[in-house]
Amino acid sequence: MEEYGLDGLVASAEAVLPGLGPLVAGLAGLAVDAGEAVTLDAMELLAAGPRGRALLCGVVQLALDRQAAAEVRVPAVTGADEVARTRAERGHARTVVTTLGEVVVRRIAYRSGVKGAGSLFVRDAALNLPPLGYSWPLQQLVVMFARDGAYELAQELLLAATGVRIGKRQLEQIVAAAAADVPGFYAGCGPGPGRPAEPGQDAAGPLALSADGKGVAMLPGSRRKGTRAPGQRVRNFATRPGIGEKGCKRIAEVACVFDVIPQPRTPQEVMAGRHGGQDEGKAGSKPAPRAVSRRYRVDIADDRSAAVGWLFDEAIRRDPGQARDWIALVDGDNHQIRLIEAEAAARGITCPVILIDLIHVLEYLWKAAWALHAPRDPAIEAWTIAQATDILHGRVAEVTARITQAAGQHPPQGPEHARNITRALAYLQAKQPCLDYPRALAAGWPVATGVIEGACRHLVNDRMGITGARWSTDGAQAILWLRVIHANGDHDAYWHHHIRQEHHRNHLSRYHDGLELAAA
């Protein structure tokens, strides 16, 4: 670029906005160097690399400096403590790390001279400066990276995307602060902005409630009461842990409410889909009922009753008049079933239809089949399918009688097989009230807990189960809340809510005339 041309460009820029000239010169130089690059990736790295970010950071700094120079001194600023700050001091600077680099914010400090009454910075409130020293867009990137991967990976991604390196402890602080408003968001703002229903969704269809738990490895101080620390356990072996000595996990309770698009099926169609392949084109198979409009909650701090209470809260929000069929899909856990029944009774609600997951029933049938047949007998699978089909037809009593008779005629070989027969019979007899599969299939309801099983995997295990990870309760809950926000599709709505809450918490609440300040 000709020197006189660059000088004229800089002079024109300075005439438009003092301080803009050097930035324009730098941009011109960057454009020249990019034009001399051979490949597209080299051009892109020049523009989006340190030089490009430095120029954009200069633009932000120039805007901040212009605002600082134009800041008007007010006679007095009264804090929430009702102490008036009448002494104004210019030039107080604060550094904030942004996605483009560090910028310096200069503003007027208002002091009172009263001991214990801190300074107030009106411009901090106007700019909504974050308390941790990292800009809100940068913190949002941290949340997105740390939510889905290890903190070390989040550091690498953040460095690659912005050129900013943040320590692991600071990342944890940002994540904890970012999740602080999740309970209030869902309690006060509901589920966020309404999203259009999926095509074909029947708003008057069944409403499904489901919950399950997933263990998370915790630090010693975050285990539930009654869980022994590894050092307090009796060691059976010197070189490796024995049974009951491995791990120290805390259960994260996952809850989900979803609408069901019904799909009536016959027992044969269910078993064809289960054992004949999942493809809808398979002979005899039929698509399963669809789960839509899923809403999740994951809690590792509270007990399981909180998750069950949320299930009913969300169900009532969707169906205040209880005009729809409510289905509770469970894995057979007696405590969970009692919690559901107790919650319904406490609210005066007719208890939802409780269905045991068919897959858990099949597990007991397989164990009984292995106990009643010779090893590797091809008849094992046919026998299991036949019993499962009978149970789907509602013939649970016949199946238990058949197993009892077979066990009497051909006693199981070995104590383990005998225990499996006893457990299978006890399970089927105890759970019979929750095995009303004929009604469920005729109405097109789901008979398996695949939705909640999948949620346990992708909401909890995919992030919390990273090899070597050990969590504090607060750290784990923060990550789980942010993952739930993302899974529910509420990330953008929640982030705006969080920024507003931070503005009030960090700034407006410190002023006696906070509302007037916000208006100004």
Side-chain angles (χ1 to χ4, degrees), residues 350-370:
T350 301
C351 190
V353 178
I354 299 177
L355 285 177
I356 300 292
D357 178 20
L358 176 63
I359 308 304
H360 284 76
V361 175
L362 283 171
E363 290 175 359
Y364 281 91
L365 291 177
W366 274 107
K367 291 180 179 179
W370 292 331

Side-chain angles (χ1 to χ4, degrees), residues 201-238:
Q201 180 178 347
D202 183 2
L207 189 61
L209 296 72
S210 192
D212 200 1
K214 188 68 178 178
V216 177
M218 307 299 287
L219 294 170
S222 295
R223 295 162 190 148
R224 294 192 186 275
K225 294 180 180 180
T227 303
R228 291 186 180 182
Q232 298 175 342
R233 298 180 179 184
V234 176
R235 295 299 299 271
N236 297 317
F237 308 107

Side-chain angles (χ1 to χ4, degrees), residues 362-496:
L362 283 171
E363 290 175 359
Y364 281 91
L365 291 177
W366 274 107
K367 291 180 179 179
W370 292 331
L372 296 173
H373 294 78
R376 294 180 295 279
D377 186 347
I380 290 177
E381 183 174 18
W383 183 91
T384 304
I385 294 175
Q387 309 317 306
T389 303
D390 276 350
I391 290 176
L392 288 173
H393 276 292
R395 297 190 282 266
V396 180
E398 289 88 334
V399 171
T400 56
R402 194 175 301 134
I403 295 174
T404 302
Q405 182 181 6
Q409 292 175 350
H410 304 285
Q413 300 299 312
E416 182 179 356
H417 284 327
R419 284 195 296 269
N420 284 339
I421 290 293
T422 301
R423 289 169 180 168
L425 290 172
Y427 183 86
L428 292 175
Q429 291 166 354
K431 306 303 183 187
Q432 186 167 354
C434 301
L435 301 179
D436 192 1
Y437 294 132
R439 176 185 177 186
L441 295 180
W445 300 345
V447 293
T449 57
V451 170
I452 200 67
E453 297 286 350
C456 286
R457 176 188 57 78
H458 77 261
L459 284 178
V460 181
N461 197 57
D462 285 355
R463 176 63 178 91
M464 317 306 288
I466 294 176
T467 302
R470 297 294 181 270
W471 298 88
S472 67
T473 305
D474 292 340
Q477 187 63 75
I479 288 290
L480 290 172
W481 269 334
L482 293 172
R483 288 180 69 78
V484 165
I485 284 286
H486 177 64
N488 287 341
D490 293 333
H491 174 80
D492 291 341
Y494 170 71
W495 194 254
H496 292 309

Side-chain angles (χ1 to χ4, degrees), residues 228-409:
R228 291 186 180 182
Q232 298 175 342
R233 298 180 179 184
V234 176
R235 295 299 299 271
N236 297 317
F237 308 107
T239 57
R240 63 171 295 166
I243 295 176
E245 297 174 4
K246 295 182 180 179
C248 291
K249 293 188 175 182
R250 186 183 181 112
I251 297 298
E253 190 70 8
V254 184
C256 181
V257 177
F258 56 93
D259 296 334
V260 176
I261 298 180
Q263 179 62 65
R265 294 175 294 168
T266 65
Q268 288 75 17
E269 289 170 339
V270 172
M271 297 311 297
R274 173 68 184 162
H275 292 275
Q278 295 299 325
D279 297 335
E280 296 182 9
K282 291 285 185 179
S285 66
K286 198 171 185 179
R290 285 182 58 201
V292 297
S293 301
R294 307 179 191 188
R295 303 292 299 175
Y296 299 102
R297 169 194 167 108
V298 183
D299 203 314
I300 200 171
D302 288 337
D303 58 24
R304 299 169 68 183
S305 61
V308 174
W310 176 85
L311 285 174
F312 279 81
D313 289 340
E314 176 66 13
I316 291 172
R317 186 190 68 82
R318 295 191 185 201
D319 183 24
Q322 302 172 46
R324 304 163 62 183
D325 291 321
W326 290 17
I327 315 156
L329 296 168
V330 299
D331 60 5
D333 183 354
N334 290 327
H335 180 56
Q336 186 181 74
I337 294 174
R338 287 194 294 268
L339 286 175
I340 292 173
E341 293 173 340
E343 188 70 27
R347 296 171 182 256
I349 295 174
T350 301
C351 190
V353 178
I354 299 177
L355 285 177
I356 300 292
D357 178 20
L358 176 63
I359 308 304
H360 284 76
V361 175
L362 283 171
E363 290 175 359
Y364 281 91
L365 291 177
W366 274 107
K367 291 180 179 179
W370 292 331
L372 296 173
H373 294 78
R376 294 180 295 279
D377 186 347
I380 290 177
E381 183 174 18
W383 183 91
T384 304
I385 294 175
Q387 309 317 306
T389 303
D390 276 350
I391 290 176
L392 288 173
H393 276 292
R395 297 190 282 266
V396 180
E398 289 88 334
V399 171
T400 56
R402 194 175 301 134
I403 295 174
T404 302
Q405 182 181 6
Q409 292 175 350

